[in-house]
Amino acid sequence: MGRRGRLARKRKTKRRPLWRRALRLVTRGILLAAVLAVAWIALYGVVAPPTTPYMISEGRRVGVTQDWRPMEEISVHLARAVVAAEDANFCLHWGFDMDAIRAAIAAGAARGGSTISQQTVKNAFLWQGRSWPRKALEALMTPVMETLWSKRRVLEVYLNIVEFGEGVFGAEAAAQHFFGIPAADLNPQQAARLAAVLPNPQDRSASNPSQSVLMRARSIAEGAATIGADGRDACFAR
């Protein structure tokens, strides 16, 4: 082997460990990010999220009102109404409602297959929008959350961080803002109106509802009553 061949072989030998070290660093970075994400999810399983990325962005624009309340201080009527409106099979799936996803795809809908679990992950940990990176992270984090949290906890967090009006986040702030009462005192009709503004709370009002919101609220109230009667509220109603 000539001198040129030996030098080329030496350079190739030196480069190989660099690639291996780079790959090792990338792998460790991915593992560290995964561990931190799991720890973050686990923490929110027992601690109330102090804020969310969306609340921060809305706070800069219009200000934010939110008052955290445990599930015991939120009307079960609101819990049933939101489930009826957003995810009727909430207690039956593991984070993804495959039937709803298939139906949404078949209908060509841009939205419709997203469960309350997925929305909780998006609202609590991620950013808004429909980008593929966010959807991928949501798909990875949802099963982890479903494993670490009870269904009741998932709904509790969702009801406390979802937006019911411009800058109005969570059940307590919404009940006070729209009806002047605590979230615990919401009746079935008021609960249905709050659920009816989802998923477009900035374009709809629970206290001054349009005819379409009233029609949707009536449908939601009927669905909530059905969910209570057939036991599909078993994972969160006590």
Side-chain angles (χ1 to χ4, degrees), residues 134-149:
R134 185 193 65 73
K135 293 298 291 184
L137 288 172
E138 179 186 297
L140 290 171
M141 296 173 75
T142 296
V144 176
M145 185 192 69
E146 281 273 340
T147 300
L148 297 177
W149 298 7

Side-chain angles (χ1 to χ4, degrees), residues 200-218:
N200 299 311
Q202 296 188 8
D203 298 325
R204 302 170 180 173
S205 172
S207 59
N208 186 28
S210 64
Q211 193 61 36
S212 62
V213 170
L214 286 174
M215 290 176 62
R216 177 168 160 77
R218 283 194 289 270

Side-chain angles (χ1 to χ4, degrees), residues 54-67:
Y54 184 52
M55 282 186 202
I56 292 171
S57 66
E58 283 294 275
R60 293 173 182 154
R61 192 175 66 85
V62 296
V64 164
T65 303
Q66 188 217 21
D67 294 298

Side-chain angles (χ1 to χ4, degrees), residues 53-54 57 122-123 126-131 134:
Y54 184 52
S57 66
K122 178 186 73 174
N123 291 339
L126 304 174
W127 61 95
Q128 303 297 305
R130 297 175 182 172
S131 65
R134 185 193 65 73

Side-chain angles (χ1 to χ4, degrees), residues 138-187:
E138 179 186 297
L140 290 171
M141 296 173 75
T142 296
V144 176
M145 185 192 69
E146 281 273 340
T147 300
L148 297 177
W149 298 7
S150 67
K151 284 285 192 177
R152 185 175 168 88
R153 177 60 176 178
V154 173
L155 189 56
E156 179 181 54
V157 172
Y158 181 74
L159 289 173
N160 274 284
I161 65 174
V162 69
E163 188 179 30
F164 286 101
E166 191 171 44
V168 180
F169 288 85
E172 181 66 20
Q176 295 285 357
H177 178 80
F178 291 110
F179 304 113
I181 61 173
D185 294 341
L186 289 166
N187 63 35

